[in-house]
C-alpha cells in the first residue's frame, strides 16, 4: 500500500551522504537532484546526480536556506526532499515547510523532530513510556544559582549539556562544587555561540560508560522494528570516531532489554521513518536514555552491513506510504561491522581540521570492505564544512576477523596532500584493548596519552615505497636494470 510514488528526489545535503542517497535513488529508478554551494562545484556527488542547481553566496547558508531549496525542488518537479544528516535534517520547521508546499519530507513527522530536538521535552516523553533516565533536570535552566543548587542535590560529578544543541557543544563535566561556576559559564557561552540559546540541563555524570545506540525503523501503520545495536564509545571530545555493530561485549540480557524498551517507546509515541535511540550503559549494565536522533546517522552503514537492509531505500519507501516488508523475526543480524570516520585533521595541532588539496588517493578494497567517500585525487577539501571526508566500513563473521580486516584495509588506505586520522585508526586497531573489545567513552582519551602523535602524522612508509618504485622506474628507463618479460 502506497500513498504516492516518488519519482524525483532533491537531496538537501552534500558530500558522502549526498552520494549515498544518489546511489539509493538510482537503484530505485528515482531521479536525483542536488543543490550545491560555490565551493562544492567539483564535488563528485554533483557530477553523479541527474540534475544539479547552484546556490550562490555563503557556502554554509546555501544548505540552510530552505525557502530557496524548496523553491528549487518545485522548479525541478521533485516529489520529495531527503535531508541526509546535519544541516536541515532535524529542522521541524523545514519538514513542515516541505509538507505545506506539497513535497514529501523523507524522514519523521515534524512533531517528532520537534519533540526530540527539545532535550527536555524528549526526556519527559521517553520517561513517560518507560525508558530509564539518569537523575537530572526536566526543564531548561538559565540561572546559575539554581543550576548550582540542583548540581549539589544530584551529587558530583555532574554533566552540563546545552538544552537546544548537540554534537558535544555546550557540554562540560564538573567534578566538584568548586569548579561549577566556571564550567557553567563556559558551557552556556558555547551554547549561545553555536545554538543561539544558553539554557542547559544537568545530569548525573557516569564515568567512562559505554555509548550504545539502537537503530529503529517504523512505518506509518504502527509497525516498529529494531535493526540491532551499535557501540559508539570511541569518541574524542564527545565526537564519534569509530562505530561498531553490534557492540562486542554487551550483555545479552541487556541487549534484549534495550531492544524491547526502544521499540515499545517508538510504538507508543507513533514514530515513523528511521531513527536512533542513544543510551549510556554503566559498569553495572544499567542503561539510561541520552537522546533520539530523528534522521539517518553517519554510522548507518554498519547496520546495513549486518542486517542486509538499505536504510536510505527504506526511508524512501516509508515516505511513500509503504508498509515494512519484513517482521522482526525475519531480520537476521550477521557478523560484525566497524566504521572508521576518515577526517582531514592534523593530530599535531590538536586534531584541527586541515582542508586542502588531496594530491594522491588510493582506496582500499577487497571482500568485506566498503568505502563511503567523496574524496579523490586532486579534490580540494573546502574549509567551510566538517572535516570528515569519508567512512571506511569493514565486516566479517567474527569480531576477530573484522579487526584483522580493518587492519589490512587501513594499511592499504593512502591519502596524501592533507594530514588525516588514518594513522590514528591504524594504531587503534592494533591496540590490545580494542582487539579485546574493551571499550568505553574514556578509551581514546586514555590511549592518546600513549599513542605517538608524530608517527600518526607522518606517511614515511608510503613515501619510502614511492621513492623505491620511482627509483626502479628510472633505472628501467635508463636501461640500468634488466626486467624479464
Amino acid at each position: 500500500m502506497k500513498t504516492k510514488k516518488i519519482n524525483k528526489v532533491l537531496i538537501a545535503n552534500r558530500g558522502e551522504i549526498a552520494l549515498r542517497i544518489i546511489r539509493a535513488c538510482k537503484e530505485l529508478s528515482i531521479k536525483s537532484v542536488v543543490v550545491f554551494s560555490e565551493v562544492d562545484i567539483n564535488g563528485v556527488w554533483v557530477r553523479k546526480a541527474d540534475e544539479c542547481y547552484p546556490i550562490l553566496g555563503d557556502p554554509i547558508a546555501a544548505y540552510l536556506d530552505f525557502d530557496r531549496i524548496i523553491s528549487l525542488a518545485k522548479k525541478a518537479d521533485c516529489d520529495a526532499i531527503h535531508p541526509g544528516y546535519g544541516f536541515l535534517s532535524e529542522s521541524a520547521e523545514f519538514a513542515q515547510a516541505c509538507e505545506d508546499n506539497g513535497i514529501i519530507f523523507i524522514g519523521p513527522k515534524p512533531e517528532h523532530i520537534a519533540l526530540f530536538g527539545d532535550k527536555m521535552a524528549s526526556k519527559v516523553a521517553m520517561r513517560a513510556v518507560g525508558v530509564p533516565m539518569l537523575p537530572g533536570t526536566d526543564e531548561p535552566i538559565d540561572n546559575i544559582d539554581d543550576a548550582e543548587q540542583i548540581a549539589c542535590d544530584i551529587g558530583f560529578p555532574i554533566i552540563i549539556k546545552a538544552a537546544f544543541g548537540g554534537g558535544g557543544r555546550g557540554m562540560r563535566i564538573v567534578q566538584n562544587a568548586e569548579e561549577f561556576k566556571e564550567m557553567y559559564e563556559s558551557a552556556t557561552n558555547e551554547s549561545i555561540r553555536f545554538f543561539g540559546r544558553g539554557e542547559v540541563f544537568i545530569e548525573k555524570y557516569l564515568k567512562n560508560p559505554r555509548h550504545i545506540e539502537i537503530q529503529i525503523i517504523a512505518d506509518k501503520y504502527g509497525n516498529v522494528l529494531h535493526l540491532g545495536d551499535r557501540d559508539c564509545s570511541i569518541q574524542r571530545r564527545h565526537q564519534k570516531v569509530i562505530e561498531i555493530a553490534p557492540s562486542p561485549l554487551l550483555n545479552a540480557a541487556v541487549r534484549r532489554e534495550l531492544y524491547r524498551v526502544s521499540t515499545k517507546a517508538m510504538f507508543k509515541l507513533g514514530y515513523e521513518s528511521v531513527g536512533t535511540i542513544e543510551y549510556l550503559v554503566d559498569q553495572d549494565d544499567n542503561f539510561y536514555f541520552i537522546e533520539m536522533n530523528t534522521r539517518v546517522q553517519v554510522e548507518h552503514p554498519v547496520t546495513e552491513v549486518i542486517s542486509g537492509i538499505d536504510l536510505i531505500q527504506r526511508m524512501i519507501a516509508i515516505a511513500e506510504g509503504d508498509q515494512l516488508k519484513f517482521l522482526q523475526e525475519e531480520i537476521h543480524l550477521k557478523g560484525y561491522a566497524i566504521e572508521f570516520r576518515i577526517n582531514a585533521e592534523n593530530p599535531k595541532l590538536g586534531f584541527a581540521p586541515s582542508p586542502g588539496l588531496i594530491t594522491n588517493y588510493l582506496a582500499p578494497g577487497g571482500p568485506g570492505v566498503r568505502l563511503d567517500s567523496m574524496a579523490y585525487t586532486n579534490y580540494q577539501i573546502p574549509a567551510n564544512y566538517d572535516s570528515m571526508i569519508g567512512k571506511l566500513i569493514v565486516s566479517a563473521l567474527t569480531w576477530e576477523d573484522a579487526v584483522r580486516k580493518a587492519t589490512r584495509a587501513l594499511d592499504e588506505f593512502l591519502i596524501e596532500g592533507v594530514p588525516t586520522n588514518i594513522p590514528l585508526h591504524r594504531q587503534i586497531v592494533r591496540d590490545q584493548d580494542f582487539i579485546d573489545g574493551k571499550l568505553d567513552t574514556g578509551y581514546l582519551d586514555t590511549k592518546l596519552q600513549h599513542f605517538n602523535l608524530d608517527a600518526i602524522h607522518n606517511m614515511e612508509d608510503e613515501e619510502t615505497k614511492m621513492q623505491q618504485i620511482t627509483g626502479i622506474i628510472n633505472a628501467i628507463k635508463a636501461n640500468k636494470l634488466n626486467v624479464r618479460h
Side-chain angles (χ1 to χ4, degrees):
M1 184 191 311
K2 292 188 177 183
T3 57
K4 182 179 180 181
K5 175 70 173 73
I6 293 174
N7 296 300
K8 200 172 189 181
V9 172
L10 183 142
I11 301 162
N13 217 299
R14 65 177 300 279
E16 64 86 17
I17 189 59
L19 184 58
R20 170 74 186 87
I21 298 167
I22 290 169
R23 288 169 170 163
C25 286
K26 286 186 180 295
E27 292 179 16
L28 295 173
S29 298
I30 294 173
K31 295 291 185 181
S32 60
V33 178
V34 297
V35 294
F36 63 95
S37 70
E38 293 177 73
V39 299
D40 277 337
I41 191 169
N42 292 317
V44 65
W45 66 97
V46 178
R47 304 179 194 178
K48 296 289 186 182
D50 293 300
E51 298 176 25
C52 57
Y53 296 91
I55 299 182
L56 305 180
D58 181 86
I60 295 177
Y63 297 102
L64 297 173
D65 185 352
F66 67 71
D67 288 332
R68 177 69 172 146
I69 289 170
I70 290 173
S71 175
L72 287 171
K74 294 168 74 173
K75 177 183 177 181
D77 293 323
C78 293
D79 309 290
I81 292 178
H82 197 304
Y85 56 71
F87 293 122
L88 295 170
S89 63
E90 291 178 288
S91 168
E93 188 179 4
F94 177 58
Q96 187 62 57
C98 289
E99 289 189 8
D100 293 343
N101 282 273
I103 298 172
I104 297 171
F105 178 81
I106 301 175
K109 293 181 286 190
E111 54 264 38
H112 283 131
I113 299 175
L115 171 64
F116 290 106
D118 184 334
K119 288 185 168 54
M120 295 294 100
S122 64
K123 287 177 65 178
V124 173
M126 293 294 268
R127 181 184 286 116
V129 293
V131 180
M133 298 285 164
L134 281 167
T137 54
D138 288 334
E139 296 181 357
I141 305 167
D142 59 6
N143 181 283
I144 189 169
D145 294 327
D146 292 343
E148 186 171 18
Q149 183 59 54
I150 291 168
C152 291
D153 292 342
I154 293 173
F156 293 94
I158 59 95
I159 185 167
I160 302 170
K161 295 181 180 179
F164 298 96
R169 302 293 188 183
M171 183 181 296
R172 297 292 186 275
I173 298 164
V174 186
Q175 298 291 349
N176 52 62
E178 287 71 25
E179 63 181 25
F180 180 83
K181 289 187 177 181
E182 179 184 351
M183 291 295 186
Y184 177 88
E185 291 174 354
S186 176
T188 55
N189 288 338
E190 185 172 67
S191 180
I192 292 170
R193 187 164 70 253
F194 282 93
F195 311 117
R197 301 183 65 170
E199 297 98 318
V200 299
F201 66 89
I202 296 173
E203 290 178 349
K204 182 69 178 175
Y205 175 69
L206 301 181
K207 184 178 180 181
N208 296 338
R210 285 162 288 168
H211 187 139
I212 306 295
E213 57 188 35
I214 309 300
Q215 178 67 63
I216 293 295
I217 182 170
D219 63 21
K220 299 176 183 292
Y221 309 98
N223 300 305
V224 182
L225 307 176
H226 73 79
L227 299 182
D229 59 275
R230 298 186 287 257
D231 193 318
C232 303
S233 299
I234 299 183
Q235 305 175 6
R236 192 184 67 82
R237 295 180 182 172
H238 307 292
Q239 298 288 329
K240 298 170 186 175
V241 176
I242 295 174
E243 297 99 349
I244 302 161
S247 176
L249 289 181
L250 188 62
N251 179 288
V254 175
R255 175 175 277 124
R256 287 193 297 271
E257 185 64 4
L258 280 165
Y259 294 165
R260 186 193 70 81
V261 167
S262 300
T263 53
K264 180 182 177 182
M266 293 301 100
F267 173 77
K268 285 189 172 183
L269 292 172
Y271 189 81
E272 59 188 57
S273 193
V274 305
T276 299
I277 309 176
E278 305 202 12
Y279 299 92
L280 294 180
V281 181
D282 68 16
Q283 296 175 352
D284 297 318
D285 285 334
N286 301 304
F287 62 86
Y288 306 95
F289 172 77
I290 312 173
E291 63 181 354
M292 170 81 176
N293 287 297
T294 54
R295 54 173 168 77
V296 65
Q297 294 279 87
V298 175
E299 58 269 25
H300 77 274
V302 291
T303 295
E304 292 183 325
V305 168
I306 68 169
S307 69
I309 294 172
D310 187 311
L311 284 170
I312 304 296
Q313 291 186 5
R314 288 307 92 209
M315 289 183 76
I316 294 171
I318 290 168
E320 288 179 321
D322 204 2
Q323 288 183 308
L324 293 178
K325 299 184 182 301
F326 35 79
L327 303 173
Q328 187 69 65
E329 55 266 28
E330 294 175 312
I331 298 172
H332 302 289
L333 305 177
K334 185 177 180 181
Y336 288 86
I338 311 172
E339 175 180 289
F340 302 87
R341 298 193 185 196
I342 307 302
N343 299 332
E345 55 189 19
N346 192 333
K348 295 183 75 173
L349 297 176
F351 294 91
S354 299
L357 181 69
I358 295 177
T359 57
N360 195 13
Y361 182 85
L362 297 175
V369 176
R370 166 177 166 178
L371 187 63
D372 288 12
S373 175
M374 76 262 202
Y376 56 88
T377 299
N378 292 326
Y379 174 61
Q380 180 74 36
I381 303 171
N384 313 85
Y385 309 109
D386 184 88
S387 63
M388 191 181 74
I389 55 176
K391 304 175 304 194
L392 171 65
I393 304 101
V394 301
S395 59
L397 289 178
T398 68
W399 170 247
E400 293 76 15
D401 286 343
V403 174
R404 282 193 285 267
K405 193 176 294 290
T407 304
R408 188 269 297 171
L410 286 164
D411 285 348
E412 285 185 18
F413 209 163
L414 174 63
I415 299 178
E416 294 180 330
V418 295
T420 74
N421 63 344
I422 291 173
L424 171 61
H425 288 311
R426 290 174 183 162
Q427 294 202 39
I428 291 174
V429 296
R430 288 173 168 84
D431 176 68
Q432 193 60 49
D433 284 340
F434 181 85
I435 293 170
D436 293 339
K438 296 178 180 177
L439 311 174
D440 58 43
T441 55
Y443 170 88
L444 197 52
D445 288 338
T446 300
K447 297 298 178 178
L448 281 175
Q449 301 175 26
H450 306 288
F451 289 158
N452 185 340
L453 293 183
D454 288 328
I456 288 173
H457 183 60
N458 70 52
M459 302 293 288
E460 182 178 351
D461 292 341
E462 288 81 0
E463 291 175 357
T464 299
K465 291 174 187 174
M466 292 304 297
Q467 290 171 2
Q468 292 173 345
I469 293 170
T470 301
I472 292 172
I473 292 173
N474 290 336
I476 293 173
K477 289 179 177 178
N479 293 321
K480 293 181 179 179
L481 183 67
N482 293 323
V483 180
R484 182 176 296 174
H485 294 281

